[in-house]
């Protein structure tokens, strides 16, 4: 029975990497046609393809083009293999193979242009990396079509309008809403399933942009809000959002429900399962969001709920890790009297293009301490030494220094801040396990507490806190 309900389903790279995975995707999409009259699929590049595209482009920028043909062959083989396994119609297989060949040809041409220039600009990188999703959606649409549901590949460059901030562009929701409805509604009316490229978009001049790594989740949120959809489901390879990172702590368990604020905090502080921006358009449009497992579709996964406090599993709900950071400290007794030091520190850091996930300030105002990605530490120390050259000479600032590699551990749960003793339990459990805590910060959103440990303690810290989470 068909109806007017609209469902946006996003399938990540882990769900579209192989013929086996893809046949699951086809089964899920065709199965939901009984429940939703309008279905839009958003898809990522096949697993590993985005990384290989970016690696090829940066090698090309160094003048290394020997590996281009091998990468091109990999792209052709992987997409052909899924087509051959899942698409029965010979003419359709041939058409899509032609499309793949053309896209791979474009990939080689773009990388050769990059190698001649000796430089890969952010704009050029977006052009190269977009090819992954553009190949993927053609194969997925053909596979769905072959299973008996009309489907059509659609490039999100026709739907999502962004600024020109290449590699992490921001959508213009008004323009996006207009274009999305204009392009997708006629297809949906005819019962066709649009299979849209995740991750990519275009600026108002039509130049390809991307939404940042992992951005296909965000694409699904944007398109869900634009249509608008009744539901957005994010399909991955785990049973929704888990209590902690399963790659580090295998005992991680699925969380049935999370509030908007909890889920945003988790995504921001490293739960890779969801791109942190996804939530915003979804909340604003009041759409329901679900995360589920392509390889275990019967499992309910995680649902996003409006109300907080309906906690199924105690006050601590989850714990995440942001790894490979370090703490940067600016200290000096003279800082006390110098106005605007913090503003100058953070504007210097912002100019380097780095975002700061955590800040702590000693109450004496004699030091400011904050987290940055460890890869950026030399660059930022140098930039700050330039900004404060005069203060360093005057000894108003004594030292600007970066710590050893560390990890931000974030404990998330809406009831946590208001429940006495929770922080105490976390800290004593960590203390008993011998975890050394370098810094502490309470999330301004009031649903999280973050602490910084040395890198070697990451696994122990996650596993100790995970074991405090009630079933
Ligand atoms: P996709 O390709 O589907 O977008 P990602 O690799 O981006 O998938 O995200 C899914 C992965 O996120 C999982 O395989 C899991 O290893 C990792 N992950 C990290 N933290 C969490 C968490 N708290 N809950 C679930 N998955 C997590
Ligand atoms: N393919 C892109 C990436 O690997 C986007 C995504 O998968 O969400 O980052
Ligand atoms: Mg992802």
């Amino acid at each position: 029975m068909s109806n007017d309900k609209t469902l946006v389903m996003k399938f990540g790279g882990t769900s579209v990497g192989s013929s086996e995975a893809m046949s699951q995707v086809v089964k899920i999409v065709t199965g939901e046609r009984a429940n939703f009259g309008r279905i839009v699929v958003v898809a990522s590049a096949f697993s590993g393809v985005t990384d290989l595209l970016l690696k090829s482009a940066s090698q090309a920028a160094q003048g290394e083009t020997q590996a281009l043909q091998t990468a091109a062959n990999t792209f052709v083989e992987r997409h052909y293999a899924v087509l051959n396994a899942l698409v029965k119609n010979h003419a359709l297989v041939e058409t899509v193979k032609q499309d793949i060949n053309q896209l791979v040809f474009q990939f080689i041409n773009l990388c050769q242009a990059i190698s001649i220039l000796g430089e890969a600009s952010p704009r050029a990188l977006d052009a190269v990396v977009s090819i992954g999703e553009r190949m993927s959606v053609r194969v997925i649409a053909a596979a769905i079509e072959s299973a008996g549901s009309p489907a059509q590949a659609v490039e999100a460059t026709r739907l999502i309008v962004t600024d020109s901030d290449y590699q992490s562009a921001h959508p213009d929701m008004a323009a996006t809403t207009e274009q999305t409805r204009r392009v997708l509604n006629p297809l949906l009316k005819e019962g066709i399933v649009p299979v849209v490229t995740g991750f990519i978009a275009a600026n108002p001049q039509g130049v390809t942009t991307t939404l940042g790594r992992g951005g296909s989740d965000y694409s699904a949120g944007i398109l869900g809000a634009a249509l608008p959809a009744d539901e957005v489901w994010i399909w991955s390879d785990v049973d929704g959002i888990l209590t902690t990172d399963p790659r580090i702590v295998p005992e991680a368990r699925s969380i049935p429900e999370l509030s908007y604020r909890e889920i945003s905090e988790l995504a921001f502080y490293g739960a890779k399962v969801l791109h942190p921006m996804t939530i915003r358009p979804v909340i604003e449009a009041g759409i329901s969001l679900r995360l589920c497992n392509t390889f275990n579709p019967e499992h309910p996964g995680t649902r996003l709920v409006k109300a907080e406090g309906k906690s199924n599993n105690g006050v601590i709900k989850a714990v995440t890790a942001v790894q490979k950071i370090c703490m940067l400290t600016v200290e000096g007794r003279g800082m006390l009297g110098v106005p605007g030091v913090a503003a100058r520190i953070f504007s210097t850091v912002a100019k380097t293009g780095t975002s700061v996930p955590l800040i702590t300030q000693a109450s004496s105002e004699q030091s400011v301490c904050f987290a940055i990605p460890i890869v950026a530490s030399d660059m930022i120390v140098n930039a700050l030494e330039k900004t404060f050259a005069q203060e360093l000479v005057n000894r108003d600032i004594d030292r600007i220094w970066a710590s050893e590699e560390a990890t931000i551990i974030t404990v998330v749960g809406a009831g946590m801040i208001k429940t006495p003793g929770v922080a105490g339990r976390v800290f004593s459990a960590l203390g008993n396990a011998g975890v050394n805590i370098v810094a502490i910060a309470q999330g301004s959103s009031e649903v999280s507490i973050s602490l910084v440990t040395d890198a070697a303690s990451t696994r122990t810290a996650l596993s100790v806190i995970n074991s405090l989470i009630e079933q």
Side-chain angles (χ1 to χ4, degrees):
M1 187 201 69
S2 193
N3 56 36
D4 276 347
K5 275 172 63 187
T6 306
L7 172 64
V8 172
M9 287 197 277
K10 176 261 170 176
F11 294 93
T14 47
S15 302
V16 294
S18 66
S19 312
E20 297 73 38
M22 193 74 87
S23 65
Q24 277 293 114
V25 170
V26 172
K27 225 193 269 171
I28 291 166
V29 174
T30 50
E32 287 306 327
R33 281 178 62 91
N35 306 317
F36 292 85
R38 294 156 42 100
I39 294 182
V40 174
V41 169
V42 176
S44 295
F46 284 19
S47 56
V49 166
T50 303
D51 287 341
L52 186 52
L53 286 163
L54 287 173
K55 186 171 151 208
S56 305
S58 66
Q59 284 175 338
Q62 308 298 317
E64 296 165 28
T65 49
Q66 320 77 281
L68 274 186
Q69 197 53 51
T70 319
N73 294 344
T74 306
F75 299 144
V76 168
E77 279 158 25
R78 288 195 55 197
H79 292 86
Y80 276 26
V82 177
L83 276 171
N84 291 336
L86 296 187
V87 184
K88 291 164 210 94
N89 177 333
H90 185 68
L92 183 57
V93 171
E94 286 313 309
T95 310
V96 180
K97 282 186 177 174
Q98 289 302 326
D99 286 353
I100 301 289
N101 293 348
Q102 257 177 28
L103 287 164
V104 170
F105 185 64
Q106 255 185 54
F107 156 72
I108 292 180
N109 279 343
L110 280 166
C111 286
Q112 261 154 4
I114 287 172
S115 89
I116 292 166
L117 289 170
E119 180 197 34
S121 65
R123 173 175 168 163
L125 285 173
D126 276 356
V128 173
V129 81
S130 74
I131 289 172
E133 269 70 12
R134 291 160 69 202
M135 292 191 288
S136 162
V137 291
R138 285 163 169 82
V139 175
I140 300 170
I144 295 174
E145 177 98 25
S146 189
S149 297
Q152 190 175 309
V154 177
E155 306 225 346
T157 45
R158 297 173 59 204
L159 313 178
I160 302 180
V161 185
T162 65
D163 58 17
S164 302
D165 200 352
Y166 297 103
Q167 301 198 284
S168 65
H170 308 281
D172 170 343
M173 281 310 289
T176 299
T177 300
E178 200 249 303
Q179 301 218 152
T180 299
R181 291 182 187 172
R182 188 166 48 74
V183 177
L184 296 188
N185 280 343
L187 297 175
L188 293 167
K189 204 163 172 197
E190 283 183 52
I192 295 171
V193 175
V195 182
V196 183
T197 52
F199 182 47
I200 72 176
N203 71 6
Q205 290 70 45
V207 181
T208 302
T209 57
T210 63
L211 303 171
R213 290 305 306 267
S216 298
D217 301 331
Y218 192 17
S219 309
I222 294 168
L223 295 175
L227 282 163
D230 296 282
E231 309 236 350
V232 172
W233 296 357
I234 308 283
W235 292 88
S236 187
D237 63 346
V238 280
D239 293 335
I241 299 187
L242 309 184
T243 50
T244 192
D245 189 333
R247 293 164 300 180
I248 305 176
V249 181
E251 298 81 43
R253 303 182 309 269
S254 174
I255 309 171
E257 288 188 349
L258 283 168
S259 73
Y260 288 140
R261 288 199 301 171
E262 289 169 328
I263 228 167
S264 312
E265 210 75 352
L266 281 169
F268 182 75
Y269 282 109
K272 191 194 169 206
V273 67
L274 193 68
H275 186 283
M277 294 299 284
T278 314
I279 278 305
R280 206 160 133 194
V282 169
I283 304 175
E284 282 167 6
I287 295 165
S288 63
L289 180 81
R290 190 182 149 204
L291 287 98
C292 26
N293 189 347
T294 301
F295 307 98
N296 188 14
E298 308 307 323
H299 193 287
T302 301
R303 275 232 171 244
L304 182 62
V305 290
K306 278 201 191 106
E308 268 162 9
K310 267 206 330 182
S311 148
N312 300 18
N313 44 355
V315 284
I316 302 178
K317 291 213 179 155
V319 56
T320 61
V322 179
Q323 298 187 77
K324 299 202 177 358
I325 61 119
C326 66
M327 296 305 287
L328 203 140
T329 306
V330 180
E331 67 183 4
R333 265 162 300 173
M335 275 171 63
L336 198 58
V338 183
V341 171
R344 285 166 67 203
I345 292 175
F346 293 112
S347 76
T348 303
V349 176
K351 279 190 202 129
T352 69
T354 311
S355 60
V356 173
L358 178 142
I359 304 170
T360 61
Q361 173 156 17
S363 55
S364 65
E365 282 191 27
Q366 289 185 17
S367 73
V368 175
C369 183
F370 53 96
I372 49 165
I374 195 155
V375 288
S377 74
D378 287 346
M379 175 179 72
I380 292 174
V381 170
N382 288 339
L384 287 170
E385 281 173 351
K386 263 200 202 124
T387 300
F388 292 106
Q390 194 56 50
E391 285 80 358
L392 284 162
V393 171
N394 297 349
R395 303 297 305 267
D396 286 333
I397 289 176
D398 295 322
R399 217 153 63 109
I400 299 174
W401 58 283
S403 72
E404 298 285 299
E405 184 178 334
T407 299
I408 302 175
I409 304 281
T410 302
V411 190
V412 177
M416 205 167 57
I417 308 297
K418 293 190 195 84
T419 313
V422 177
R425 263 202 304 147
V426 169
F427 291 118
S428 60
L430 290 172
N432 292 340
V435 172
N436 183 29
I437 298 169
V438 183
I440 302 169
Q442 178 171 322
S444 45
S445 65
E446 291 197 353
V447 302
S448 71
I449 297 172
S450 292
L451 39 104
V452 180
T453 68
D454 49 53
S457 301
T458 307
R459 185 186 298 267
T460 312
L462 285 185
S463 133
V464 161
I465 299 171
N466 187 58
S467 66
L468 294 178
I469 300 173
E470 289 157 33
Q471 293 276 5

